[in-house]
Amino acid sequence: MFPCGLSCLSVLGAAGTALLCAGLLLSLAQHLWTLRWMLSRDRASALPLPKGSMGWPFFGETLHWLVQGSRFHSSRRERYGTVFKTHLLGRPVIRVSGAENVRTILLGEHRIVRSQWPQSAHILLGSHTLLGAVGEPHRQRRKVLARVFSRAALERYVPRLQGALRREVRSWCAARRPVAVYDAAKALTFRMAARILLGLRLDEAQCSELSRTFEQFVENLFSLPLDVPFSGLRKGIRARDQLHRHLEEAIAEKLHEDMAGEPGDALAMIIHSTRELGRELSVQELKESAVELLFAAFFTTASASTSLVLLLLQHPAAIAKIRQELEAQGLGRACSCAPGAAGDGAGHWSDCGCAPDLSLAALGGLPYVDCVVKEVLRLLPPVSGGYRTALRTFELDGYQIPKGWSVMYSIRDTHETAAVYRSPPEGFDPERFGASGEEARGASGRFHYIPFGGGARSCLGQELAQAVLQLLAVELVRTARWELATPAFPAMQTVPIVHPVDGLRLFFHPLAHSAARDGLCL
């Protein structure tokens, strides 16, 4: 037995030595990895790098980020402050939050930072997009697209948007089964963007097929830039090509339309605006512009719409106040037409007895609805932030941001930590955006609220997005009541787009006054 005992001790000793050596090697590797990034600081600047951790060699803190989600950033913000360094997805990243810090980044576009998107996104969206443009080409494209979202254009969109939203809410009432709100919102947003914004003539079957193709395109937009069989990029290219083939026909029609009158949709406006500037866009440029507009509207508006439905359900007092405001403005009664009565599938109301009763002016007379929409976007902004690349080394909050490093500004963290509101930032309080709240923030508080970004790359479609959410709030509150179809409220996934993990399954029921007139919703 004695030799056997010695043998076991020898094996255990060898295993312990191996583990000790492995631990020392890992510790050395991590030390060298940290040292590598410490030495990458710009020595021409006397400022230190921000605090933080670069994680493990090659992996950085990517695994922690994927597992912890939004908690990853909040825990490090608590530990290191509003500017900290990390290493994600193979790149050194400076995470930035707080109004003043974010202001520096957003107003520094083209000067100290530039927009950063993955290579796969540039491949799939194309080279003729606002997303990929910098400098003067970016300014020219924004000028063209600004007309798409002008007040005159919004006035034309609103009646058709109201029609689409009205039919959607009433179809939810008629469903007789739980509605997966996030999925329904994505389908609705695509229909509105394709038919109303772009002016595409699509029947329901075509719209559903194109929506599925577009979702596959977006799902593979952020993938490894490897164009090999079965890769995400290859799937995205296939979906993009299908979208482009369909768009070619619509674009060919619009290029030959008489442009003497006022353009009625985004594609016609883009063609008209560029001709006024002395240019003629190619079919390829128009296809890429159309897909970019769909992409800009799709997930973010669907996310915000779902968050609106969820937060109103969680705060019935807000619903009551919206109803009071609608009654005071004579807008409390829902349309009495059955779903589908308003006829041609493109948002036109020639076959409906109930004309649209909302306009931009009418929405402007609903200040509490506007406050609710702003609070939804503050509490649950659809995207958590944006990426930039440092064009040169610059100072931020007493630290150096080295040239070439990625900078991620955080919308969510900035909203959560803003100290300018009269009530706690973590609570749902639409009245924080009332007259007294607006005055309290003042001009200096501009970057405390940034759901649409800011600066040269602020969202051009923000007024359209807010109008859609206001219209949805009105149609929901005066048409339906809704309740959970699950035992509890779902958790929220925050990456890459905010949405409930189960899609938010709800039952919708018509209000008594509309049910009495509408047999389909009973």
Side-chain angles (χ1 to χ4, degrees), residues 317-318 320-322 324-325 367-376 378 421-423 427-441:
K321 288 183 179 179
I322 292 175
Q324 289 173 6
E325 185 169 74
Y368 186 74
V369 171
D370 180 56
C371 289
V372 166
V373 167
K374 286 178 177 175
E375 180 68 346
V376 168
R378 186 198 67 83
Y421 300 114
R422 64 180 185 180
S423 56
F428 180 80
D429 179 17
E431 292 179 4
R432 76 173 80 241
F433 289 101
S436 59
E438 293 285 356
E439 291 167 7
R441 283 199 305 281

PDB file of all heavy atoms in Angstrom, residues 317-318 320-322 324-325 367-376 378 421-423 427-441:
ATOM      1  N   ALA A 317     -52.970  54.802 -15.019  1.00  0.00           N
ATOM      2  CA  ALA A 317     -53.276  56.220 -14.774  1.00  0.00           C
ATOM      3  C   ALA A 317     -52.955  57.061 -16.001  1.00  0.00           C
ATOM      4  O   ALA A 317     -53.642  58.054 -16.289  1.00  0.00           O
ATOM      5  CB  ALA A 317     -52.484  56.731 -13.569  1.00  0.00           C
ATOM      6  N   ALA A 318     -51.932  56.682 -16.742  1.00  0.00           N
ATOM      7  CA  ALA A 318     -51.575  57.408 -17.967  1.00  0.00           C
ATOM      8  C   ALA A 318     -52.653  57.222 -19.032  1.00  0.00           C
ATOM      9  O   ALA A 318     -52.985  58.163 -19.765  1.00  0.00           O
ATOM     10  CB  ALA A 318     -50.224  56.938 -18.486  1.00  0.00           C
ATOM     11  N   ALA A 320     -55.831  56.762 -18.442  1.00  0.00           N
ATOM     12  CA  ALA A 320     -56.962  57.600 -18.021  1.00  0.00           C
ATOM     13  C   ALA A 320     -56.731  59.060 -18.390  1.00  0.00           C
ATOM     14  O   ALA A 320     -57.651  59.754 -18.860  1.00  0.00           O
ATOM     15  CB  ALA A 320     -57.182  57.455 -16.518  1.00  0.00           C
ATOM     16  N   LYS A 321     -55.503  59.552 -18.219  1.00  0.00           N
ATOM     17  CA  LYS A 321     -55.205  60.943 -18.546  1.00  0.00           C
ATOM     18  C   LYS A 321     -55.253  61.191 -20.054  1.00  0.00           C
ATOM     19  O   LYS A 321     -55.691  62.261 -20.503  1.00  0.00           O
ATOM     20  CB  LYS A 321     -53.830  61.326 -17.989  1.00  0.00           C
ATOM     21  CG  LYS A 321     -53.814  61.472 -16.475  1.00  0.00           C
ATOM     22  CD  LYS A 321     -52.452  61.936 -15.971  1.00  0.00           C
ATOM     23  CE  LYS A 321     -52.458  62.109 -14.461  1.00  0.00           C
ATOM     24  NZ  LYS A 321     -51.140  62.539 -13.948  1.00  0.00           N
ATOM     25  N   ILE A 322     -54.824  60.213 -20.833  1.00  0.00           N
ATOM     26  CA  ILE A 322     -54.923  60.354 -22.296  1.00  0.00           C
ATOM     27  C   ILE A 322     -56.390  60.423 -22.702  1.00  0.00           C
ATOM     28  O   ILE A 322     -56.783  61.259 -23.529  1.00  0.00           O
ATOM     29  CB  ILE A 322     -54.221  59.183 -23.019  1.00  0.00           C
ATOM     30  CG1 ILE A 322     -52.702  59.263 -22.809  1.00  0.00           C
ATOM     31  CG2 ILE A 322     -54.530  59.211 -24.514  1.00  0.00           C
ATOM     32  CD1 ILE A 322     -51.939  58.087 -23.383  1.00  0.00           C
ATOM     33  N   GLN A 324     -58.903  61.480 -20.948  1.00  0.00           N
ATOM     34  CA  GLN A 324     -59.426  62.791 -20.556  1.00  0.00           C
ATOM     35  C   GLN A 324     -59.022  63.860 -21.574  1.00  0.00           C
ATOM     36  O   GLN A 324     -59.829  64.711 -21.952  1.00  0.00           O
ATOM     37  CB  GLN A 324     -58.891  63.166 -19.176  1.00  0.00           C
ATOM     38  CG  GLN A 324     -59.475  62.349 -18.026  1.00  0.00           C
ATOM     39  CD  GLN A 324     -58.780  62.644 -16.700  1.00  0.00           C
ATOM     40  OE1 GLN A 324     -57.934  63.529 -16.610  1.00  0.00           O
ATOM     41  NE2 GLN A 324     -59.130  61.883 -15.667  1.00  0.00           N
ATOM     42  N   GLU A 325     -57.782  63.795 -22.024  1.00  0.00           N
ATOM     43  CA  GLU A 325     -57.302  64.788 -22.990  1.00  0.00           C
ATOM     44  C   GLU A 325     -58.025  64.640 -24.329  1.00  0.00           C
ATOM     45  O   GLU A 325     -58.402  65.643 -24.956  1.00  0.00           O
ATOM     46  CB  GLU A 325     -55.789  64.630 -23.185  1.00  0.00           C
ATOM     47  CG  GLU A 325     -55.176  65.687 -24.089  1.00  0.00           C
ATOM     48  CD  GLU A 325     -53.661  65.666 -24.047  1.00  0.00           C
ATOM     49  OE1 GLU A 325     -53.066  64.734 -24.641  1.00  0.00           O
ATOM     50  OE2 GLU A 325     -53.061  66.570 -23.426  1.00  0.00           O
ATOM     51  N   PRO A 367     -50.905  67.664 -25.643  1.00  0.00           N
ATOM     52  CA  PRO A 367     -49.596  67.733 -24.979  1.00  0.00           C
ATOM     53  C   PRO A 367     -49.291  66.544 -24.081  1.00  0.00           C
ATOM     54  O   PRO A 367     -48.137  66.125 -23.978  1.00  0.00           O
ATOM     55  CB  PRO A 367     -49.674  69.037 -24.171  1.00  0.00           C
ATOM     56  CG  PRO A 367     -51.135  69.331 -24.038  1.00  0.00           C
ATOM     57  CD  PRO A 367     -51.770  68.798 -25.282  1.00  0.00           C
ATOM     58  N   TYR A 368     -50.323  65.968 -23.429  1.00  0.00           N
ATOM     59  CA  TYR A 368     -50.031  64.830 -22.545  1.00  0.00           C
ATOM     60  C   TYR A 368     -49.634  63.596 -23.358  1.00  0.00           C
ATOM     61  O   TYR A 368     -48.738  62.847 -22.955  1.00  0.00           O
ATOM     62  CB  TYR A 368     -51.221  64.507 -21.644  1.00  0.00           C
ATOM     63  CG  TYR A 368     -50.874  63.431 -20.620  1.00  0.00           C
ATOM     64  CD1 TYR A 368     -50.073  63.737 -19.526  1.00  0.00           C
ATOM     65  CD2 TYR A 368     -51.307  62.123 -20.789  1.00  0.00           C
ATOM     66  CE1 TYR A 368     -49.714  62.752 -18.605  1.00  0.00           C
ATOM     67  CE2 TYR A 368     -50.958  61.131 -19.874  1.00  0.00           C
ATOM     68  CZ  TYR A 368     -50.154  61.454 -18.791  1.00  0.00           C
ATOM     69  OH  TYR A 368     -49.791  60.474 -17.901  1.00  0.00           O
ATOM     70  N   VAL A 369     -50.296  63.391 -24.512  1.00  0.00           N
ATOM     71  CA  VAL A 369     -49.905  62.274 -25.391  1.00  0.00           C
ATOM     72  C   VAL A 369     -48.451  62.443 -25.813  1.00  0.00           C
ATOM     73  O   VAL A 369     -47.670  61.481 -25.832  1.00  0.00           O
ATOM     74  CB  VAL A 369     -50.828  62.196 -26.626  1.00  0.00           C
ATOM     75  CG1 VAL A 369     -50.298  61.183 -27.636  1.00  0.00           C
ATOM     76  CG2 VAL A 369     -52.245  61.829 -26.208  1.00  0.00           C
ATOM     77  N   ASP A 370     -48.059  63.665 -26.135  1.00  0.00           N
ATOM     78  CA  ASP A 370     -46.678  63.949 -26.516  1.00  0.00           C
ATOM     79  C   ASP A 370     -45.727  63.629 -25.360  1.00  0.00           C
ATOM     80  O   ASP A 370     -44.656  63.053 -25.565  1.00  0.00           O
ATOM     81  CB  ASP A 370     -46.545  65.409 -26.920  1.00  0.00           C
ATOM     82  CG  ASP A 370     -45.135  65.778 -27.335  1.00  0.00           C
ATOM     83  OD1 ASP A 370     -44.594  65.130 -28.255  1.00  0.00           O
ATOM     84  OD2 ASP A 370     -44.559  66.700 -26.732  1.00  0.00           O
ATOM     85  N   CYS A 371     -46.122  63.980 -24.139  1.00  0.00           N
ATOM     86  CA  CYS A 371     -45.289  63.689 -22.968  1.00  0.00           C
ATOM     87  C   CYS A 371     -45.133  62.182 -22.763  1.00  0.00           C
ATOM     88  O   CYS A 371     -44.048  61.703 -22.409  1.00  0.00           O
ATOM     89  CB  CYS A 371     -45.900  64.310 -21.709  1.00  0.00           C
ATOM     90  SG  CYS A 371     -45.800  66.113 -21.655  1.00  0.00           S
ATOM     91  N   VAL A 372     -46.210  61.433 -22.970  1.00  0.00           N
ATOM     92  CA  VAL A 372     -46.157  59.973 -22.827  1.00  0.00           C
ATOM     93  C   VAL A 372     -45.163  59.390 -23.824  1.00  0.00           C
ATOM     94  O   VAL A 372     -44.332  58.535 -23.483  1.00  0.00           O
ATOM     95  CB  VAL A 372     -47.549  59.355 -23.012  1.00  0.00           C
ATOM     96  CG1 VAL A 372     -47.455  57.836 -23.200  1.00  0.00           C
ATOM     97  CG2 VAL A 372     -48.443  59.679 -21.825  1.00  0.00           C
ATOM     98  N   VAL A 373     -45.240  59.811 -25.080  1.00  0.00           N
ATOM     99  CA  VAL A 373     -44.334  59.306 -26.110  1.00  0.00           C
ATOM    100  C   VAL A 373     -42.880  59.623 -25.750  1.00  0.00           C
ATOM    101  O   VAL A 373     -41.996  58.762 -25.855  1.00  0.00           O
ATOM    102  CB  VAL A 373     -44.707  59.890 -27.485  1.00  0.00           C
ATOM    103  CG1 VAL A 373     -43.600  59.635 -28.513  1.00  0.00           C
ATOM    104  CG2 VAL A 373     -46.026  59.293 -27.967  1.00  0.00           C
ATOM    105  N   LYS A 374     -42.626  60.847 -25.311  1.00  0.00           N
ATOM    106  CA  LYS A 374     -41.262  61.221 -24.923  1.00  0.00           C
ATOM    107  C   LYS A 374     -40.763  60.375 -23.755  1.00  0.00           C
ATOM    108  O   LYS A 374     -39.594  59.962 -23.718  1.00  0.00           O
ATOM    109  CB  LYS A 374     -41.209  62.707 -24.559  1.00  0.00           C
ATOM    110  CG  LYS A 374     -41.293  63.625 -25.765  1.00  0.00           C
ATOM    111  CD  LYS A 374     -41.281  65.094 -25.336  1.00  0.00           C
ATOM    112  CE  LYS A 374     -41.296  66.011 -26.555  1.00  0.00           C
ATOM    113  NZ  LYS A 374     -41.414  67.435 -26.169  1.00  0.00           N
ATOM    114  N   GLU A 375     -41.644  60.101 -22.797  1.00  0.00           N
ATOM    115  CA  GLU A 375     -41.233  59.318 -21.632  1.00  0.00           C
ATOM    116  C   GLU A 375     -40.960  57.868 -22.014  1.00  0.00           C
ATOM    117  O   GLU A 375     -40.026  57.242 -21.485  1.00  0.00           O
ATOM    118  CB  GLU A 375     -42.309  59.400 -20.545  1.00  0.00           C
ATOM    119  CG  GLU A 375     -41.999  58.627 -19.282  1.00  0.00           C
ATOM    120  CD  GLU A 375     -40.825  59.194 -18.476  1.00  0.00           C
ATOM    121  OE1 GLU A 375     -40.055  60.032 -19.000  1.00  0.00           O
ATOM    122  OE2 GLU A 375     -40.657  58.776 -17.314  1.00  0.00           O
ATOM    123  N   VAL A 376     -41.736  57.311 -22.926  1.00  0.00           N
ATOM    124  CA  VAL A 376     -41.470  55.950 -23.425  1.00  0.00           C
ATOM    125  C   VAL A 376     -40.082  55.890 -24.060  1.00  0.00           C
ATOM    126  O   VAL A 376     -39.295  54.970 -23.798  1.00  0.00           O
ATOM    127  CB  VAL A 376     -42.553  55.520 -24.433  1.00  0.00           C
ATOM    128  CG1 VAL A 376     -42.137  54.239 -25.172  1.00  0.00           C
ATOM    129  CG2 VAL A 376     -43.891  55.308 -23.735  1.00  0.00           C
ATOM    130  N   ARG A 378     -37.606  57.875 -23.520  1.00  0.00           N
ATOM    131  CA  ARG A 378     -36.571  58.117 -22.507  1.00  0.00           C
ATOM    132  C   ARG A 378     -36.282  56.857 -21.709  1.00  0.00           C
ATOM    133  O   ARG A 378     -35.131  56.473 -21.504  1.00  0.00           O
ATOM    134  CB  ARG A 378     -37.002  59.235 -21.555  1.00  0.00           C
ATOM    135  CG  ARG A 378     -35.919  59.660 -20.549  1.00  0.00           C
ATOM    136  CD  ARG A 378     -36.498  60.432 -19.381  1.00  0.00           C
ATOM    137  NE  ARG A 378     -37.360  59.589 -18.551  1.00  0.00           N
ATOM    138  CZ  ARG A 378     -36.908  58.770 -17.603  1.00  0.00           C
ATOM    139  NH1 ARG A 378     -35.619  58.660 -17.363  1.00  0.00           N
ATOM    140  NH2 ARG A 378     -37.759  58.054 -16.889  1.00  0.00           N
ATOM    141  N   TYR A 421     -34.133  65.985 -13.985  1.00  0.00           N
ATOM    142  CA  TYR A 421     -35.580  65.799 -13.914  1.00  0.00           C
ATOM    143  C   TYR A 421     -36.072  65.965 -12.481  1.00  0.00           C
ATOM    144  O   TYR A 421     -35.353  65.674 -11.519  1.00  0.00           O
ATOM    145  CB  TYR A 421     -35.963  64.427 -14.457  1.00  0.00           C
ATOM    146  CG  TYR A 421     -35.559  64.221 -15.895  1.00  0.00           C
ATOM    147  CD1 TYR A 421     -34.605  63.280 -16.244  1.00  0.00           C
ATOM    148  CD2 TYR A 421     -36.125  64.985 -16.911  1.00  0.00           C
ATOM    149  CE1 TYR A 421     -34.229  63.083 -17.567  1.00  0.00           C
ATOM    150  CE2 TYR A 421     -35.757  64.802 -18.237  1.00  0.00           C
ATOM    151  CZ  TYR A 421     -34.811  63.859 -18.558  1.00  0.00           C
ATOM    152  OH  TYR A 421     -34.436  63.675 -19.855  1.00  0.00           O
ATOM    153  N   ARG A 422     -37.336  66.359 -12.355  1.00  0.00           N
ATOM    154  CA  ARG A 422     -37.879  66.622 -11.019  1.00  0.00           C
ATOM    155  C   ARG A 422     -38.256  65.331 -10.304  1.00  0.00           C
ATOM    156  O   ARG A 422     -38.465  65.326  -9.098  1.00  0.00           O
ATOM    157  CB  ARG A 422     -39.112  67.514 -11.135  1.00  0.00           C
ATOM    158  CG  ARG A 422     -40.274  66.870 -11.880  1.00  0.00           C
ATOM    159  CD  ARG A 422     -41.466  67.805 -11.960  1.00  0.00           C
ATOM    160  NE  ARG A 422     -42.620  67.159 -12.554  1.00  0.00           N
ATOM    161  CZ  ARG A 422     -43.789  67.759 -12.739  1.00  0.00           C
ATOM    162  NH1 ARG A 422     -43.935  69.012 -12.364  1.00  0.00           N
ATOM    163  NH2 ARG A 422     -44.793  67.110 -13.291  1.00  0.00           N
ATOM    164  N   SER A 423     -38.381  64.210 -11.037  1.00  0.00           N
ATOM    165  CA  SER A 423     -38.679  62.931 -10.401  1.00  0.00           C
ATOM    166  C   SER A 423     -37.573  61.937 -10.735  1.00  0.00           C
ATOM    167  O   SER A 423     -36.806  62.153 -11.678  1.00  0.00           O
ATOM    168  CB  SER A 423     -40.041  62.403 -10.878  1.00  0.00           C
ATOM    169  OG  SER A 423     -40.065  62.293 -12.289  1.00  0.00           O
ATOM    170  N   GLY A 427     -38.190  56.036 -12.864  1.00  0.00           N
ATOM    171  CA  GLY A 427     -39.648  55.908 -12.844  1.00  0.00           C
ATOM    172  C   GLY A 427     -40.299  56.373 -14.135  1.00  0.00           C
ATOM    173  O   GLY A 427     -39.704  57.111 -14.916  1.00  0.00           O
ATOM    174  N   PHE A 428     -41.539  55.936 -14.350  1.00  0.00           N
ATOM    175  CA  PHE A 428     -42.332  56.355 -15.512  1.00  0.00           C
ATOM    176  C   PHE A 428     -43.142  57.579 -15.110  1.00  0.00           C
ATOM    177  O   PHE A 428     -44.080  57.487 -14.321  1.00  0.00           O
ATOM    178  CB  PHE A 428     -43.246  55.219 -15.963  1.00  0.00           C
ATOM    179  CG  PHE A 428     -44.107  55.560 -17.163  1.00  0.00           C
ATOM    180  CD1 PHE A 428     -43.580  55.520 -18.442  1.00  0.00           C
ATOM    181  CD2 PHE A 428     -45.444  55.918 -17.005  1.00  0.00           C
ATOM    182  CE1 PHE A 428     -44.370  55.829 -19.555  1.00  0.00           C
ATOM    183  CE2 PHE A 428     -46.233  56.232 -18.108  1.00  0.00           C
ATOM    184  CZ  PHE A 428     -45.695  56.187 -19.379  1.00  0.00           C
ATOM    185  N   ASP A 429     -42.785  58.730 -15.639  1.00  0.00           N
ATOM    186  CA  ASP A 429     -43.448  59.983 -15.260  1.00  0.00           C
ATOM    187  C   ASP A 429     -43.536  60.897 -16.479  1.00  0.00           C
ATOM    188  O   ASP A 429     -42.667  61.746 -16.694  1.00  0.00           O
ATOM    189  CB  ASP A 429     -42.670  60.666 -14.133  1.00  0.00           C
ATOM    190  CG  ASP A 429     -43.306  61.997 -13.717  1.00  0.00           C
ATOM    191  OD1 ASP A 429     -44.481  62.229 -14.065  1.00  0.00           O
ATOM    192  OD2 ASP A 429     -42.620  62.796 -13.051  1.00  0.00           O
ATOM    193  N   PRO A 430     -44.580  60.750 -17.305  1.00  0.00           N
ATOM    194  CA  PRO A 430     -44.704  61.595 -18.498  1.00  0.00           C
ATOM    195  C   PRO A 430     -44.692  63.084 -18.194  1.00  0.00           C
ATOM    196  O   PRO A 430     -44.230  63.887 -19.007  1.00  0.00           O
ATOM    197  CB  PRO A 430     -46.050  61.163 -19.085  1.00  0.00           C
ATOM    198  CG  PRO A 430     -46.257  59.775 -18.589  1.00  0.00           C
ATOM    199  CD  PRO A 430     -45.668  59.759 -17.213  1.00  0.00           C
ATOM    200  N   GLU A 431     -45.164  63.465 -17.013  1.00  0.00           N
ATOM    201  CA  GLU A 431     -45.280  64.886 -16.694  1.00  0.00           C
ATOM    202  C   GLU A 431     -43.926  65.559 -16.464  1.00  0.00           C
ATOM    203  O   GLU A 431     -43.858  66.780 -16.347  1.00  0.00           O
ATOM    204  CB  GLU A 431     -46.207  65.066 -15.496  1.00  0.00           C
ATOM    205  CG  GLU A 431     -47.650  64.707 -15.861  1.00  0.00           C
ATOM    206  CD  GLU A 431     -48.609  64.850 -14.691  1.00  0.00           C
ATOM    207  OE1 GLU A 431     -48.169  65.298 -13.611  1.00  0.00           O
ATOM    208  OE2 GLU A 431     -49.787  64.498 -14.856  1.00  0.00           O
ATOM    209  N   ARG A 432     -42.851  64.753 -16.429  1.00  0.00           N
ATOM    210  CA  ARG A 432     -41.526  65.364 -16.353  1.00  0.00           C
ATOM    211  C   ARG A 432     -41.245  66.175 -17.625  1.00  0.00           C
ATOM    212  O   ARG A 432     -40.371  67.027 -17.646  1.00  0.00           O
ATOM    213  CB  ARG A 432     -40.446  64.312 -16.133  1.00  0.00           C
ATOM    214  CG  ARG A 432     -40.089  63.503 -17.353  1.00  0.00           C
ATOM    215  CD  ARG A 432     -38.884  62.571 -17.108  1.00  0.00           C
ATOM    216  NE  ARG A 432     -39.255  61.357 -16.397  1.00  0.00           N
ATOM    217  CZ  ARG A 432     -38.757  61.041 -15.207  1.00  0.00           C
ATOM    218  NH1 ARG A 432     -37.913  61.869 -14.603  1.00  0.00           N
ATOM    219  NH2 ARG A 432     -39.114  59.922 -14.614  1.00  0.00           N
ATOM    220  N   PHE A 433     -41.994  65.891 -18.706  1.00  0.00           N
ATOM    221  CA  PHE A 433     -41.837  66.623 -19.966  1.00  0.00           C
ATOM    222  C   PHE A 433     -42.887  67.717 -20.136  1.00  0.00           C
ATOM    223  O   PHE A 433     -43.028  68.281 -21.213  1.00  0.00           O
ATOM    224  CB  PHE A 433     -41.889  65.658 -21.156  1.00  0.00           C
ATOM    225  CG  PHE A 433     -40.674  64.787 -21.261  1.00  0.00           C
ATOM    226  CD1 PHE A 433     -40.705  63.470 -20.829  1.00  0.00           C
ATOM    227  CD2 PHE A 433     -39.495  65.293 -21.789  1.00  0.00           C
ATOM    228  CE1 PHE A 433     -39.585  62.670 -20.916  1.00  0.00           C
ATOM    229  CE2 PHE A 433     -38.365  64.496 -21.877  1.00  0.00           C
ATOM    230  CZ  PHE A 433     -38.406  63.185 -21.436  1.00  0.00           C
ATOM    231  N   GLY A 434     -43.647  67.993 -19.070  1.00  0.00           N
ATOM    232  CA  GLY A 434     -44.580  69.102 -19.109  1.00  0.00           C
ATOM    233  C   GLY A 434     -43.856  70.431 -19.094  1.00  0.00           C
ATOM    234  O   GLY A 434     -42.620  70.498 -19.089  1.00  0.00           O
ATOM    235  N   ALA A 435     -44.624  71.516 -19.054  1.00  0.00           N
ATOM    236  CA  ALA A 435     -44.036  72.862 -19.157  1.00  0.00           C
ATOM    237  C   ALA A 435     -42.974  73.112 -18.100  1.00  0.00           C
ATOM    238  O   ALA A 435     -41.893  73.624 -18.388  1.00  0.00           O
ATOM    239  CB  ALA A 435     -45.138  73.911 -19.050  1.00  0.00           C
ATOM    240  N   SER A 436     -43.238  72.722 -16.843  1.00  0.00           N
ATOM    241  CA  SER A 436     -42.263  72.987 -15.776  1.00  0.00           C
ATOM    242  C   SER A 436     -40.991  72.182 -15.973  1.00  0.00           C
ATOM    243  O   SER A 436     -39.885  72.652 -15.709  1.00  0.00           O
ATOM    244  CB  SER A 436     -42.869  72.654 -14.411  1.00  0.00           C
ATOM    245  OG  SER A 436     -43.261  71.293 -14.354  1.00  0.00           O
ATOM    246  N   GLY A 437     -41.148  70.934 -16.498  1.00  0.00           N
ATOM    247  CA  GLY A 437     -39.965  70.110 -16.744  1.00  0.00           C
ATOM    248  C   GLY A 437     -39.109  70.662 -17.855  1.00  0.00           C
ATOM    249  O   GLY A 437     -37.882  70.686 -17.773  1.00  0.00           O
ATOM    250  N   GLU A 438     -39.741  71.141 -18.925  1.00  0.00           N
ATOM    251  CA  GLU A 438     -38.993  71.720 -20.040  1.00  0.00           C
ATOM    252  C   GLU A 438     -38.199  72.933 -19.571  1.00  0.00           C
ATOM    253  O   GLU A 438     -37.047  73.132 -19.943  1.00  0.00           O
ATOM    254  CB  GLU A 438     -39.961  72.135 -21.158  1.00  0.00           C
ATOM    255  CG  GLU A 438     -40.663  70.970 -21.846  1.00  0.00           C
ATOM    256  CD  GLU A 438     -39.739  70.218 -22.794  1.00  0.00           C
ATOM    257  OE1 GLU A 438     -38.584  70.639 -22.964  1.00  0.00           O
ATOM    258  OE2 GLU A 438     -40.182  69.209 -23.350  1.00  0.00           O
ATOM    259  N   GLU A 439     -38.848  73.764 -18.739  1.00  0.00           N
ATOM    260  CA  GLU A 439     -38.160  74.967 -18.256  1.00  0.00           C
ATOM    261  C   GLU A 439     -36.989  74.593 -17.355  1.00  0.00           C
ATOM    262  O   GLU A 439     -35.934  75.221 -17.387  1.00  0.00           O
ATOM    263  CB  GLU A 439     -39.157  75.853 -17.499  1.00  0.00           C
ATOM    264  CG  GLU A 439     -40.215  76.473 -18.407  1.00  0.00           C
ATOM    265  CD  GLU A 439     -41.372  77.072 -17.622  1.00  0.00           C
ATOM    266  OE1 GLU A 439     -41.281  77.109 -16.385  1.00  0.00           O
ATOM    267  OE2 GLU A 439     -42.358  77.483 -18.249  1.00  0.00           O
ATOM    268  N   ALA A 440     -37.156  73.555 -16.539  1.00  0.00           N
ATOM    269  CA  ALA A 440     -36.107  73.164 -15.594  1.00  0.00           C
ATOM    270  C   ALA A 440     -34.858  72.690 -16.320  1.00  0.00           C
ATOM    271  O   ALA A 440     -33.740  72.935 -15.878  1.00  0.00           O
ATOM    272  CB  ALA A 440     -36.622  72.066 -14.661  1.00  0.00           C
ATOM    273  N   ARG A 441     -35.062  71.984 -17.433  1.00  0.00           N
ATOM    274  CA  ARG A 441     -33.888  71.484 -18.148  1.00  0.00           C
ATOM    275  C   ARG A 441     -33.132  72.597 -18.843  1.00  0.00           C
ATOM    276  O   ARG A 441     -31.916  72.674 -18.789  1.00  0.00           O
ATOM    277  CB  ARG A 441     -34.302  70.418 -19.166  1.00  0.00           C
ATOM    278  CG  ARG A 441     -34.606  69.083 -18.522  1.00  0.00           C
ATOM    279  CD  ARG A 441     -34.559  67.991 -19.539  1.00  0.00           C
ATOM    280  NE  ARG A 441     -35.423  68.242 -20.659  1.00  0.00           N
ATOM    281  CZ  ARG A 441     -36.729  68.047 -20.636  1.00  0.00           C
ATOM    282  NH1 ARG A 441     -37.308  67.636 -19.536  1.00  0.00           N
ATOM    283  NH2 ARG A 441     -37.473  68.272 -21.699  1.00  0.00           N
TER     284      ARG A 441
END
